[in-house]
Amino acid sequence: MSFKILYASSTGHTEYIAEKLNKLIPNSKLQDVDDLEDITELNNCKTLICCIPTWNTGADEGRSGTSWDQKFEAIRSTDFSNTSVGIVGLGDSAAFSKYFCDAMEELHSSFSAAGANIIGEVSTEDYIYDDSKSVIDGMFCGLPIDEDNESEKTDDRLRNWAQQILKIS
Ligand SMILES: Cc1cc2nc3c(=O)[nH]c(=O)nc-3n(C[C@H](O)[C@H](O)[C@H](O)COP(=O)(O)O)c2cc1C
């Protein structure tokens, strides 16, 4: 299978964004991480798009507060060397400006440890925030989406990012 879009969501924003990406990426399949029994189901996918919110503000680990937090260990011990991974983070750049989309970094470090090729890094230029653990070497390690404050920017951000992913996948 080419594209699988995975998401976990507490109040529905991340699910809504994953559904939008599902429409933008032809032949992609959508799956709730809650329904994922075994991480090894995923390493036959060419490209994974992983969508994650941040809820556990400032935490060292388990920042998402969703079922993603229980998957990181299994991801690290699975071989993803034939898989490309794009990350999408949901967060609030105003109320949680020092911790903006922090959970994306846990997906990045887990899939990197598993040998995956991380794709879809995003410039920080279009965002106003104080700090984020998800900025690596000057770029966001995935696409931040802020439905709380900047929902009017979401469609363009998703469209541009999906085009970037489709070009390199
Ligand atoms: C108690 C609480 C803690 C939050 N912590 C963070 C945070 O640390 N960083 C961040 O960027 N957003 C934070 N958010 C914002 C959520 O990540 C954001 O609303 C997101 O869209 C929720 O996605 P979901 O509806 O898929 O769960 C927090 C929201 C609440 C209510």
Side-chain angles (χ1 to χ4, degrees), residues 26-64:
N27 302 319
S28 57
K29 289 251 159 58
L30 195 58
Q31 185 170 13
D32 187 331
V33 176
D34 283 341
D35 301 330
L36 186 65
E37 278 169 22
D38 188 349
I39 284 291
T40 58
E41 283 170 41
L42 300 176
N43 69 351
N44 61 352
C45 297
K46 189 166 167 273
T47 307
L48 295 175
I49 309 287
C50 300
C51 308
I52 186 167
T54 298
W55 281 88
N56 285 333
T57 311
D60 287 337
E61 295 179 344
R63 294 170 213 141
S64 139

Side-chain angles (χ1 to χ4, degrees), residues 84-147:
S84 293
V85 176
I87 301 166
V88 178
L90 271 286
D92 178 335
S93 60
F96 301 95
S97 189
K98 287 189 187 154
Y99 308 94
F100 183 42
C101 289
D102 271 1
M104 287 200 294
E105 187 274 336
E106 287 181 283
L107 279 174
H108 180 274
S109 61
S110 303
F111 276 110
S112 296
N117 174 35
I118 306 293
I119 57 174
E121 290 91 347
V122 168
S123 164
T124 57
E125 269 174 33
D126 185 38
Y127 298 87
I128 298 168
Y129 65 99
D130 286 332
D131 204 1
S132 174
K133 292 184 174 69
S134 299
V135 174
I136 298 170
D137 296 333
M139 301 272 282
F140 280 114
C141 62
L143 173 69
I145 294 289
D146 184 347
E147 283 292 279

